[in-house]
Amino acid sequence: MCGIVAYVGRKLAQPILIEGLKRLEYRGYDSAGVAVIDEKQQLHIRRAVGRISVLEDTVRQNKLPKASVGMAHTRWATHGAPTETNAHPHTDDSGCIALVHNGIIENYVALRKLLEEKGHKFTSQTDTEALAMLIGDLYADLKEKNHMQGQSLLQHAVQAALRQVEGTYGIAVICRDEPDTLIVARKGSPLIIGIGKDEYIVASDASAIVEHTAQVVYLNDNEMAVLHPGQFRTCTIDDIDVTPTISLLENKLEEYELGGFPHYMLKEIFEQPNAIRNCQRGRAEPREGRVVLGGISGIARELVKAKRYILTGQGTAWHAGLVGDYLFEDLAKVPTECTYASEFRYRNPIVEEGTVLIAISQSGETADTLAALREAKEKGATVLGVVNVVGSTIARETDAGVYLHAGPEIGVASTKAFTCQLSVLTMLAIFLGRRKFMSQSQTEEMLQGLCRIPDQMQMVLDQSDAIRDIAEQFCKRENWLFLGRGYHYPVALEGALKLKEISYIHAEGMPAAEMKHGPIALINEGMPVVFIATRGMQYDKVVSNIEEVRARGGRVIVVATEGDSNIRRYSDHVIYVPDTLEPLQPMLTVLPLQLIAYHAAVLRGCNVDKPRNLAKSVTVE
């Protein structure tokens, strides 16, 4: 949720901040703001409701002075409606301290009441203002006592305030009395420090940093950094020094650009063949009949001996976990459960000896998924991460894991991360299965099929124009059903989610057999119903479900196996995917559903990359 970018150095801050916000806009776009401290030690703030372009217009009309320290924020509203008053940055009531914040201050009501009793005046509905006011109050006390000569009073005020805070935060703070100081801190909300020459760029996502430097420091929970031009210090909230680890960013600037596509979502849909190749490179070796996953090599024996696997995630990652549930039980013959991360932590789960939890997340920062893995770890489980973002919190907190290597995913609706998650889970299932029950020939067959998937994906993507024509016929219908069995039940869920996310059409995904137990009552004349009916164990049963829908006037769109001419008799429209082994089919059958959602949203005039009420990385519970 929300995006932060902050700068301290020798250059003009404003252009860096505004450009950084544009790259972070997919993290939140209800409102935005920027704050700088000029050469006269005056604090200047501009805020606006809406997109970054609105803030740009505001700054153009009411120019900011030259400054070399500042911060900016793009908001995804939690407390208080998207208004200029609620937009960040927030200040204390003296106008000395300014702050931007991602996360939620859970005890803000108590803090606000305490501060109001001391005479402080609040103007917004946000939890963030309580933190800004608290830092300002503590700063004023320290300044009055003036017993810390030569030290940053701002640093000590921030530390004292954060020790009183309950909840999550990624913050950047500036103070007009310390105009060359930028302080940042995190707990549960990511912050990255980019290291340049006599300058530092801090952001909640690497996309705002990559244009300026490849050297970064990832802050851990309960850590902060005090930044000045040319020098910085990292420490804990309790002021214990921390030696920073400098890492290199994995992705290049061009990977964050549109590259000629009208939307990031379409670009990322079409990047999937190459993303899968990158995901599998050096890992899937069909000639040797083996899977090589360096990220789990240290605990491979423990994984093979595990008695139970729990897969967890939220949204699209949860759907990937559901496919993984089928894969692990089918190929590795190990008891597996897929559960919502948000439910796992609060149900007092049973975690026996020999349990492995796999946390699945594109960003590696999903708050509910982090909470689930911490709960599992506390109860003695081995925890793995399947994430896309290198250096993310989940990647650092798990015992081992596998990166997706999908490249940056900017579109809010996840596409290439989902198929790469399926690829990784497939490789993990084969890795385990080979060491338990799968023969060499079975393993080779699966890996050969897996390595053919990228080229087969391209064959599906080549049908984009035809899929657009189908979407055009039905995009005005407000209710859709997506139905599948076995491996394709999670695909049906994912197809429905994509349509809901970006076109705002009500859609439901479910197992095809479940339709008869109530939802069949929804089917009326002309209702679009999407079936995944590829060749497999339950093909005939899916055909029977199709006939039940047709008998009630539904319009049937089928995703079928190439060469299946029989299915045309039961369908209004057929989208063919190449033939592959049943466990691998979801990586192909989901593509037409992604394209249907994309084209329907465009035809309805929706903002595909920035759907309403959504943000890319959900870092609050």
Side-chain angles (χ1 to χ4, degrees):
M1 309 275 192
C2 307
I4 287 175
V5 58
Y7 176 82
V8 60
R10 311 294 186 193
K11 298 175 185 173
L12 286 178
Q14 179 186 321
I16 294 169
L17 297 174
I18 296 296
E19 185 58 35
L21 280 191
K22 289 179 181 177
R23 296 191 182 279
L24 291 173
E25 191 168 16
Y26 68 97
R27 295 180 66 95
Y29 33 83
D30 293 334
S31 57
V34 59
V36 298
I37 299 175
D38 67 14
E39 295 170 348
K40 298 178 181 179
Q41 295 188 217
Q42 296 299 307
L43 182 62
H44 302 266
I45 295 177
R46 305 286 185 270
R47 298 184 290 194
V49 176
R51 310 290 187 191
I52 306 304
S53 58
V54 181
L55 178 65
E56 275 192 293
D57 290 340
T58 300
V59 172
R60 197 175 295 116
Q61 295 165 15
N62 188 6
K63 294 184 182 300
L64 286 168
K66 292 181 179 180
S68 57
V69 62
M71 59 193 185
H73 187 272
T74 179
R75 183 172 184 245
W76 188 90
T78 55
H79 296 70
T83 65
E84 188 172 326
T85 302
N86 288 332
H88 299 216
H90 287 285
T91 67
D92 69 329
D93 50 0
S94 73
C96 181
I97 305 287
L99 173 146
V100 292
H101 165 233
N102 291 348
I104 290 179
I105 306 302
E106 294 174 358
N107 63 333
Y108 85 98
V109 174
L111 291 173
R112 181 168 178 149
K113 182 179 179 181
L114 176 67
L115 291 161
E116 284 176 333
E117 289 173 352
K118 295 180 72 172
H120 293 286
K121 304 296 183 183
F122 286 76
T123 59
S124 80
Q125 301 166 291
T126 68
D127 57 326
T128 300
E129 189 182 12
L131 179 54
M133 205 75 75
L134 178 61
I135 293 172
D137 181 78
L138 293 166
Y139 180 80
D141 286 347
L142 290 170
K143 191 175 179 181
E144 185 178 341
K145 294 172 183 175
N146 197 28
H147 68 280
M148 305 181 78
Q149 296 290 337
Q151 298 186 49
S152 170
L153 299 185
L154 180 62
Q155 173 192 335
H156 290 283
V158 171
Q159 288 172 327
L162 294 180
R163 286 194 288 269
Q164 298 182 42
V165 161
E166 297 173 10
T168 59
Y169 54 81
I171 61 169
V173 189
I174 56 175
C175 173
R176 68 186 181 198
D177 294 342
E178 299 184 25
D180 66 343
T181 301
L182 170 66
I183 293 181
V184 297
R186 73 155 282 178
K187 179 183 178 183
S189 193
L191 280 181
I192 308 169
I193 303 169
I195 302 172
K197 184 178 181 181
D198 295 331
E199 65 179 2
Y200 302 98
I201 304 159
V202 179
S204 48
D205 189 289
S207 58
I209 294 174
V210 66
E211 183 177 0
H212 305 281
T213 181
Q215 291 190 312
V216 296
V217 171
Y218 296 94
L219 280 186
N220 293 310
D221 277 355
N222 299 307
E223 288 183 358
M224 65 184 298
V226 182
L227 307 160
H228 307 280
Q231 63 175 338
F232 77 103
R233 173 185 177 235
T234 55
C235 60
T236 68
I237 303 305
D238 294 320
D239 207 27
I240 298 170
D241 281 330
V242 173
T243 302
T245 300
I246 298 176
S247 306
L248 291 177
L249 290 176
E250 182 180 62
N251 301 311
K252 306 299 182 185
L253 178 61
E254 55 268 22
E255 296 182 75
Y256 294 92
E257 306 292 345
L258 272 169
F261 285 89
H263 301 99
Y264 280 107
M265 184 178 179
L266 187 64
K267 173 178 182 270
E268 287 156 11
I269 287 172
F270 273 82
E271 283 178 340
Q272 286 176 106
N274 197 47
I276 293 293
R277 288 188 188 97
N278 290 337
C279 181
Q280 295 174 0
R281 184 173 292 117
R283 294 168 167 175
E285 299 184 353
R287 291 183 181 178
E288 289 79 14
R290 64 174 185 165
V291 172
V292 179
L293 297 171
I296 64 170
S297 59
I299 59 169
R301 185 170 296 181
E302 189 176 339
L303 298 181
V304 173
K305 290 182 177 179
K307 298 174 182 178
R308 176 179 174 230
Y309 276 79
I310 300 171
L311 308 180
T312 193
Q314 291 291 125
T316 288
W318 179 68
H319 297 159
L322 284 174
V323 177
D325 190 339
Y326 285 90
L327 287 164
F328 277 50
E329 294 198 338
D330 186 5
L331 302 181
K333 309 296 188 225
V334 60
T336 307
E337 171 193 0
C338 181
T339 183
Y340 281 114
S342 57
E343 295 295 320
F344 180 82
R345 180 188 182 191
Y346 295 104
R347 72 180 200 209
N348 193 19
I350 297 171
V351 178
E352 313 109 320
E353 185 178 354
T355 297
V356 175
L357 180 134
I358 300 179
I360 307 167
S361 168
Q362 189 283 136
S363 67
E365 303 290 350
T366 310
D368 289 306
T369 309
L370 264 169
L373 80 84
R374 287 167 178 165
E375 177 71 12
K377 204 169 186 178
E378 180 71 19
K379 289 179 176 287
T382 299
V383 292
L384 301 186
V386 174
V387 301
N388 192 36
V389 179
V390 175
S392 57
T393 305
I394 290 177
R396 296 199 303 273
E397 292 201 13
T398 46
D399 297 310
V402 184
Y403 283 120
L404 303 181
H405 297 311
E409 190 177 66
I410 306 300
V412 167
S414 181
T415 52
K416 64 178 180 176
F418 175 72
T419 48
C420 285
Q421 286 162 355
L422 297 188
S423 178
V424 165
L425 292 171
T426 303
M427 288 187 285
L428 276 169
I430 295 171
F431 177 88
L432 296 172
R434 177 69 183 105
R435 284 154 180 77
K436 299 177 81 170
F437 302 104
M438 290 177 65
S439 67
Q440 179 74 9
S441 60
Q442 287 175 312
T443 305
E444 289 176 5
E445 182 185 24
M446 285 295 303
L447 290 174
Q448 287 165 2
L450 189 62
C451 291
R452 285 194 295 268
I453 289 294
D455 290 336
Q456 292 178 321
M457 280 181 153
Q458 191 59 55
M459 297 176 193
V460 182
L461 297 175
D462 289 343
Q463 302 175 63
S464 179
D465 290 343
I467 293 170
R468 181 192 181 281
D469 293 340
I470 296 171
E472 189 170 20
Q473 292 186 45
F474 298 104
C475 66
K476 293 182 180 179
R477 301 290 302 212
E478 294 299 328
N479 292 286
W480 291 49
L481 277 179
F482 289 76
L483 302 171
R485 285 176 176 257
Y487 280 103
H488 297 302
Y489 153 50
V491 176
L493 291 176
E494 178 62 11
L497 177 62
K498 284 293 155 284
L499 195 64
K500 284 184 278 196
E501 282 181 307
I502 62 170
S503 71
Y504 318 138
I505 293 171
H506 176 257
E508 293 295 331
M510 63 189 68
E514 183 66 15
M515 176 187 64
K516 297 189 290 294
H517 297 272
I520 198 169
L522 296 172
I523 297 170
N524 57 14
E525 191 67 35
M527 181 181 185
V529 182
V530 181
F531 281 91
I532 302 103
T534 48
R535 290 198 184 102
M537 290 176 59
Q538 301 190 64
Y539 174 81
D540 292 336
K541 295 186 182 297
V542 177
V543 170
S544 296
N545 297 141
I546 292 173
E547 291 189 292
E548 291 162 354
V549 168
R550 283 170 56 82
R552 289 157 179 82
R555 299 289 299 280
V556 175
I557 304 163
V558 175
V559 178
T561 303
E562 196 173 43
D564 182 4
S565 57
N566 177 63
I567 200 72
R568 288 192 175 276
R569 294 190 296 162
Y570 308 99
S571 316
D572 296 288
H573 301 277
V574 180
I575 305 167
Y576 286 113
V577 300
D579 191 16
T580 189
L581 298 166
E582 193 165 0
L584 307 179
Q585 289 175 1
M587 282 184 276
L588 300 179
T589 56
V590 74
L591 302 188
L593 309 191
Q594 294 173 349
L595 287 167
I596 285 172
Y598 170 79
H599 289 303
V602 172
L603 289 162
R604 288 166 67 94
C606 301
N607 190 326
V608 175
D609 288 332
K610 300 175 181 122
R612 68 188 182 203
N613 302 333
L614 297 178
K616 182 66 179 171
S617 179
V618 183
T619 57
V620 295
E621 289 190 70

